[in-house]
Amino acid sequence: MASESDSFKPFEFDSTLKILSDSSTLKAVPSKFNLTNDRNAFTSDSLPTIDFSALVGCDPHQRSNAVHDLATACRDWGFFILVNHGVPERLMSEMFRKMVEFFNLPDSEKKQYEAKSASDPIKCGNFNVANTSNQSFTLWREYLKLYVHPNFHCPHQPQLLRDVVQEYTQMIRVLVRKLIEAICEALELNQRRYVDEILKMESSFQLFATNYYPRCPQPDQAIGIPPHTDHGLFTFLIHNGVAGLQIEHDGKWFNADSPKNAILVNAADQLEIFTNGRCKSVKHRAVVNEEKDRISIVVANGPSGEAVIGPAAALVEKDRRAKYCAMKYEEYVESQLTKSRIGGKSILEQQMILPAN
Ligand code: OGA
Ligand code: NI
């Protein structure tokens, strides 16, 4: 999830973003959103694609190829396009319909979910971020964030929102578990021990977020989400057909576009830590555009909040050193929510242990 900072009342509800961008007279980005950024990015036809049906199928040859491809994608890109995942198209479309209904609720209805603190299980509004000189900017985005597992939280309006969010996030948990098992297999780690006992996936912490990025009159002067890494193991993202996610690869930015119905998946901080750096938590950002409103639906999947995550012992032994300090996951999330700064050191960077000498 994006970095948030709460040193300057960041969760204030602000309905102007939607109203301003709806107005045809808006020619420039109002000053509080003004954050000059370069949104140029390359387009690559070599973004990795993972066929989920091969990963869980009974053809052992196909399966071992898919396991290998997954590990390679997590190592080289920290990102892949997941296809044949089994999440029905009707569920995805229904999700977008419900999200639009949510963002169109009257402000009085949404205001009850205005966040009071970073750890509220339901929160919505606009986001402020700070840079290292403590200057604050508002992101060009309205969001709704929900803690959905191990305890499920969701607004009661619009009707049926709870049902679709519950169905979708439950399906994602099944996919995540399979991906983690496959990574463990590729790295020759004992699946039971790591998935069940160390990561404690039975009580995994799962966060649902939806981001609404209205069209923007000056897309180079505002940003949807600044560059960041996500805190969990794997993040799943779908969008309403309007591109805007960019990922960093070999020091350059790439557009992460996707075929219809595919899910964009990125490896996140806990996976990098757990694999002692074999999987890469990829830096990514969301840019805005002049023509179309964009909605993304993001599900961040972590280990249990109670789990203390450090590099897997078997990998530390192989590498002869741990490259990251261990930390309780809920403390890690808390630090990311409250301490990140644009241009500052990320929590992941702070956890890195440099080689001796
Ligand atoms: C996030 C995120 C990107 C997007 O919510 O953490 O990176 O395209 N979103 O919405
Ligand atoms: Ni993110």
Side-chain angles (χ1 to χ4, degrees):
M1 297 284 96
S3 311
E4 303 164 36
S5 164
D6 65 359
S7 58
F8 48 89
K9 213 168 175 298
F11 302 113
E12 218 170 353
F13 193 82
D14 179 354
S15 60
T16 54
L17 178 56
K18 187 161 177 339
I19 293 162
L20 278 175
S21 62
D22 281 348
S23 151
S24 54
T25 55
L26 187 68
K27 296 278 187 297
V29 164
S31 61
K32 68 174 189 165
F33 298 101
N34 204 303
L35 182 58
T36 303
N37 74 91
D38 176 8
R39 61 191 181 110
N40 288 326
F42 294 92
T43 295
S44 167
D45 50 17
S46 48
L47 292 179
T49 296
I50 300 297
D51 180 345
F52 188 76
S53 64
L55 204 60
V56 293
C58 24
D59 179 329
H61 180 65
Q62 271 193 1
R63 192 183 133 68
S64 91
N65 280 346
V67 166
H68 175 264
D69 291 349
L70 173 69
T72 308
C74 291
R75 181 193 69 197
D76 294 347
W77 285 84
F79 171 86
F80 53 91
I81 299 166
L82 191 67
V83 297
N84 297 325
H85 43 68
V87 179
E89 198 180 330
R90 68 114 200 118
L91 180 58
M92 294 202 196
S93 315
E94 190 55 18
M95 297 267 292
F96 285 108
R97 265 196 295 280
K98 289 293 151 199
M99 297 314 136
V100 171
E101 276 179 43
F102 178 82
F103 287 120
N104 280 330
L105 286 175
D107 286 346
S108 55
E109 181 79 33
K110 287 191 275 185
K111 220 174 160 63
Q112 61 181 303
Y113 303 118
E114 172 185 334
K116 315 289 179 300
S117 91
S119 56
D120 284 355
I122 302 183
K123 50 185 185 272
C124 75
N126 299 139
F127 238 25
N128 286 353
V129 289
N131 63 14
T132 42
S133 345
N134 243 355
Q135 263 181 304
S136 142
F137 304 91
T138 304
L139 300 181
W140 196 265
R141 146 191 188 242
E142 207 179 305
Y143 74 92
L144 167 68
K145 269 190 191 182
L146 313 171
Y147 291 0
V148 291
H149 195 261
N151 299 312
F152 183 76
H153 302 269
C154 187
H156 287 274
Q157 288 297 332
Q159 272 186 4
L160 299 179
L161 175 71
R162 297 173 69 85
D163 304 58
V164 286
V165 171
Q166 195 148 35
E167 188 182 353
Y168 182 66
T169 51
Q170 193 170 352
M171 290 190 100
I172 301 289
R173 284 200 298 279
V174 175
L175 300 178
V176 169
R177 198 185 172 98
K178 294 286 178 205
L179 293 181
I180 306 277
E181 285 173 3
I183 289 286
C184 285
E185 184 176 330
L187 301 181
E188 297 171 350
L189 296 176
N190 177 322
Q191 281 180 23
R192 240 193 111 120
R193 166 142 189 258
Y194 286 104
V195 178
D196 296 329
E197 291 166 30
I198 309 265
L199 301 174
K200 305 186 197 314
M201 292 307 285
E202 260 325 289
S203 54
S204 65
F205 176 62
Q206 194 184 32
L207 199 153
F208 174 95
T210 180
N211 301 305
Y212 166 61
Y213 306 99
R215 71 197 75 172
C216 174
Q218 291 175 298
D220 296 328
Q221 300 300 320
I223 185 139
I225 304 189
H228 67 282
T229 58
D230 296 340
H231 49 60
L233 292 161
F234 281 112
T235 303
F236 280 49
L237 182 145
I238 53 177
H239 58 71
N240 63 334
V242 179
L245 175 67
Q246 298 181 337
I247 55 175
E248 197 186 53
H249 178 68
D250 283 346
K252 297 189 203 111
W253 287 98
F254 286 85
N255 294 311
D257 297 337
S258 60
K260 199 165 184 283
N261 297 324
I263 303 180
L264 302 177
V265 181
N266 67 267
D269 294 357
Q270 301 309 304
L271 194 69
E272 177 166 329
I273 295 172
F274 172 67
T275 62
N276 210 24
R278 284 168 179 74
C279 294
K280 197 160 59 205
S281 179
V282 68
K283 219 177 235 182
H284 55 284
R285 65 187 183 191
V287 297
V288 295
N289 77 86
E290 228 164 334
E291 289 94 40
K292 287 189 176 144
D293 292 353
R294 172 167 185 261
I295 293 184
S296 67
I297 294 175
V298 178
V299 183
N301 302 276
S304 158
E306 294 294 312
V308 176
I309 306 298
L315 301 177
V316 172
E317 207 173 301
K318 265 190 203 157
D319 299 342
R320 304 223 182 105
R321 72 181 191 95
K323 299 181 183 164
Y324 306 84
C325 307
M327 200 194 236
K328 195 172 179 186
Y329 181 49
E330 65 188 15
E331 282 163 19
Y332 191 97
V333 175
E334 172 73 21
S335 310
Q336 208 200 37
L337 288 176
T338 55
K339 294 195 192 132
S340 300
R341 290 284 180 279
I342 297 182
K345 224 176 180 196
S346 70
I347 308 302
L348 182 63
E349 284 161 345
Q350 294 173 32
Q351 292 292 103
M352 286 178 184
I353 304 173
L354 296 173
N357 79 32

